[in-house]
Amino acid sequence: MIEVPPKLTVKTNFRRPSDTQIAAFQGIPTGFVVDAMFGGGALSHAIQPLGGGRELNCVAAGPALTAECGAADVLALFASLKFIRPGDVVVSAFSAHSGCAAGGDGLVGMMKNCGAAGFVTDGPLRDYHGIVSVGLPVWCTGITPGSPHVSGPGSVGFPVQIGAQEVENGDMIVADQDGVVVVPYERLDEVIENLERIRSAEQAQDDKIARGMRLPDWVEQFLASDQVAYKD
């Protein structure tokens, strides 16, 4: 006989970055974070700021609180409200299901009341204007009026697969108008150190462009090298 699984499984210990590590990612563009991880970490482009961010300032950076909901269900997401700590970004895996909403303005409003800094899901949401009124930064795959179930099974605090990335509780989520990036907990210090180099390089390039640069020096050098053949 196949055992009936529990409706919900909750992790008993939640790891979390230090306050210093969390602060290091505030206000950092997602592109800088991806570059600091040598091109990795970005969630699928299907996960976008709600409504393209036209009416909601979608910028957030905080530790991931994960909820594995599965397709068409939000029991785990409701349960995750109990475990939100101020500054968390709730990450809800919805199996990329698009047949109904992965949440609405009520859930998003309670997340904000609990202190969440943002909400990321691989499903669509409902109650667009209500979510905008709540004001919590949200990333999702679109909008639909369809209602989900609240029956489980699901889990809170365990690794989830979302947007072609694995997200574990305590990983850093950095999100803005360009999309969402996950920084693994084990790589936080490495990425923070790399960010200083990336920031300096970006500023130097911006300064050159402002002064009229038309193409990078390395392109000039490459075009003049024996790696390029010119033919009539």
Side-chain angles (χ1 to χ4, degrees), residues 94-112:
F94 203 57
S95 296
H97 181 69
S98 61
C100 65
D105 58 355
L107 258 170
V108 172
M110 287 183 280
M111 287 180 201
K112 185 176 182 182

mmCIF file of all heavy atoms in Angstrom, residues 94-112:
data_model
loop_
_atom_site.group_PDB
_atom_site.id
_atom_site.type_symbol
_atom_site.label_atom_id
_atom_site.label_comp_id
_atom_site.label_asym_id
_atom_site.label_seq_id
_atom_site.Cartn_x
_atom_site.Cartn_y
_atom_site.Cartn_z
ATOM 1 N N PHE A 94 5.691 26.742 -8.314
ATOM 2 C CA PHE A 94 4.328 26.413 -8.740
ATOM 3 C C PHE A 94 4.344 25.437 -9.911
ATOM 4 O O PHE A 94 3.367 25.321 -10.644
ATOM 5 C CB PHE A 94 3.619 27.717 -9.129
ATOM 6 C CG PHE A 94 2.116 27.694 -9.079
ATOM 7 C CD1 PHE A 94 1.430 27.373 -7.926
ATOM 8 C CD2 PHE A 94 1.375 28.054 -10.203
ATOM 9 C CE1 PHE A 94 0.042 27.386 -7.876
ATOM 10 C CE2 PHE A 94 -0.010 28.072 -10.174
ATOM 11 C CZ PHE A 94 -0.680 27.739 -9.000
ATOM 12 N N SER A 95 5.490 24.774 -10.115
ATOM 13 C CA SER A 95 5.687 23.841 -11.235
ATOM 14 C C SER A 95 5.474 24.504 -12.587
ATOM 15 O O SER A 95 5.107 23.844 -13.561
ATOM 16 C CB SER A 95 4.750 22.626 -11.096
ATOM 17 O OG SER A 95 5.051 21.883 -9.942
ATOM 18 N N ALA A 96 5.698 25.832 -12.650
ATOM 19 C CA ALA A 96 5.496 26.600 -13.881
ATOM 20 C C ALA A 96 4.085 26.417 -14.436
ATOM 21 O O ALA A 96 3.861 26.564 -15.638
ATOM 22 C CB ALA A 96 6.543 26.239 -14.927
ATOM 23 N N HIS A 97 3.145 26.117 -13.571
ATOM 24 C CA HIS A 97 1.749 25.920 -13.989
ATOM 25 C C HIS A 97 1.134 27.262 -14.368
ATOM 26 O O HIS A 97 1.310 28.256 -13.675
ATOM 27 C CB HIS A 97 0.964 25.290 -12.842
ATOM 28 C CG HIS A 97 -0.468 25.019 -13.147
ATOM 29 N ND1 HIS A 97 -0.866 24.041 -14.042
ATOM 30 C CD2 HIS A 97 -1.609 25.597 -12.687
ATOM 31 C CE1 HIS A 97 -2.185 24.028 -14.108
ATOM 32 N NE2 HIS A 97 -2.654 24.956 -13.290
ATOM 33 N N SER A 98 0.399 27.283 -15.465
ATOM 34 C CA SER A 98 -0.192 28.541 -15.941
ATOM 35 C C SER A 98 -1.716 28.513 -15.988
ATOM 36 O O SER A 98 -2.335 29.468 -16.429
ATOM 37 C CB SER A 98 0.349 28.880 -17.340
ATOM 38 O OG SER A 98 0.002 27.862 -18.276
ATOM 39 N N GLY A 99 -2.329 27.426 -15.512
ATOM 40 C CA GLY A 99 -3.777 27.293 -15.613
ATOM 41 C C GLY A 99 -4.564 28.048 -14.569
ATOM 42 O O GLY A 99 -5.784 28.205 -14.691
ATOM 43 N N CYS A 100 -3.894 28.502 -13.516
ATOM 44 C CA CYS A 100 -4.564 29.298 -12.486
ATOM 45 C C CYS A 100 -3.506 30.128 -11.776
ATOM 46 O O CYS A 100 -2.311 29.989 -12.019
ATOM 47 C CB CYS A 100 -5.333 28.410 -11.502
ATOM 48 S SG CYS A 100 -4.276 27.324 -10.520
ATOM 49 N N ALA A 101 -3.954 30.997 -10.868
ATOM 50 C CA ALA A 101 -3.035 31.904 -10.193
ATOM 51 C C ALA A 101 -2.257 31.201 -9.087
ATOM 52 O O ALA A 101 -2.769 30.322 -8.408
ATOM 53 C CB ALA A 101 -3.807 33.085 -9.611
ATOM 54 N N ALA A 102 -1.015 31.642 -8.900
ATOM 55 C CA ALA A 102 -0.161 31.150 -7.820
ATOM 56 C C ALA A 102 -0.284 32.025 -6.584
ATOM 57 O O ALA A 102 0.473 31.864 -5.623
ATOM 58 C CB ALA A 102 1.292 31.118 -8.288
ATOM 59 N N GLY A 103 -1.235 32.938 -6.582
ATOM 60 C CA GLY A 103 -1.456 33.833 -5.458
ATOM 61 C C GLY A 103 -2.241 35.046 -5.913
ATOM 62 O O GLY A 103 -2.493 35.238 -7.101
ATOM 63 N N GLY A 104 -2.642 35.858 -4.947
ATOM 64 C CA GLY A 104 -3.402 37.065 -5.254
ATOM 65 C C GLY A 104 -3.081 38.158 -4.257
ATOM 66 O O GLY A 104 -2.155 38.036 -3.446
ATOM 67 N N ASP A 105 -3.878 39.224 -4.286
ATOM 68 C CA ASP A 105 -3.549 40.378 -3.455
ATOM 69 C C ASP A 105 -3.658 40.086 -1.965
ATOM 70 O O ASP A 105 -2.936 40.671 -1.157
ATOM 71 C CB ASP A 105 -4.394 41.588 -3.829
ATOM 72 C CG ASP A 105 -5.896 41.344 -3.715
ATOM 73 O OD1 ASP A 105 -6.317 40.206 -3.439
ATOM 74 O OD2 ASP A 105 -6.663 42.319 -3.923
ATOM 75 N N GLY A 106 -4.539 39.149 -1.565
ATOM 76 C CA GLY A 106 -4.640 38.803 -0.156
ATOM 77 C C GLY A 106 -3.362 38.181 0.378
ATOM 78 O O GLY A 106 -2.828 38.595 1.415
ATOM 79 N N LEU A 107 -2.859 37.184 -0.330
ATOM 80 C CA LEU A 107 -1.602 36.547 0.068
ATOM 81 C C LEU A 107 -0.447 37.543 0.055
ATOM 82 O O LEU A 107 0.361 37.591 0.987
ATOM 83 C CB LEU A 107 -1.294 35.390 -0.886
ATOM 84 C CG LEU A 107 -1.593 33.973 -0.401
ATOM 85 C CD1 LEU A 107 -1.465 32.983 -1.545
ATOM 86 C CD2 LEU A 107 -0.684 33.583 0.746
ATOM 87 N N VAL A 108 -0.377 38.336 -0.997
ATOM 88 C CA VAL A 108 0.711 39.306 -1.106
ATOM 89 C C VAL A 108 0.620 40.340 0.019
ATOM 90 O O VAL A 108 1.637 40.738 0.606
ATOM 91 C CB VAL A 108 0.686 39.982 -2.492
ATOM 92 C CG1 VAL A 108 1.684 41.127 -2.552
ATOM 93 C CG2 VAL A 108 1.008 38.963 -3.589
ATOM 94 N N GLY A 109 -0.596 40.747 0.356
ATOM 95 C CA GLY A 109 -0.762 41.698 1.447
ATOM 96 C C GLY A 109 -0.307 41.135 2.777
ATOM 97 O O GLY A 109 0.335 41.833 3.586
ATOM 98 N N MET A 110 -0.615 39.859 3.028
ATOM 99 C CA MET A 110 -0.166 39.236 4.281
ATOM 100 C C MET A 110 1.355 39.067 4.307
ATOM 101 O O MET A 110 1.985 39.216 5.363
ATOM 102 C CB MET A 110 -0.881 37.905 4.478
ATOM 103 C CG MET A 110 -2.341 38.069 4.876
ATOM 104 S SD MET A 110 -3.199 36.502 5.215
ATOM 105 C CE MET A 110 -3.564 35.954 3.540
ATOM 106 N N MET A 111 1.959 38.765 3.142
ATOM 107 C CA MET A 111 3.423 38.693 3.084
ATOM 108 C C MET A 111 4.034 40.030 3.504
ATOM 109 O O MET A 111 4.980 40.076 4.304
ATOM 110 C CB MET A 111 3.881 38.371 1.664
ATOM 111 C CG MET A 111 3.642 36.961 1.215
ATOM 112 S SD MET A 111 4.234 36.763 -0.491
ATOM 113 C CE MET A 111 3.305 35.324 -0.992
ATOM 114 N N LYS A 112 3.480 41.112 2.977
ATOM 115 C CA LYS A 112 4.016 42.431 3.332
ATOM 116 C C LYS A 112 3.824 42.703 4.815
ATOM 117 O O LYS A 112 4.730 43.214 5.493
ATOM 118 C CB LYS A 112 3.343 43.517 2.503
ATOM 119 C CG LYS A 112 3.953 44.891 2.746
ATOM 120 C CD LYS A 112 3.370 45.957 1.854
ATOM 121 C CE LYS A 112 4.058 47.298 2.097
ATOM 122 N NZ LYS A 112 3.470 48.370 1.266
#
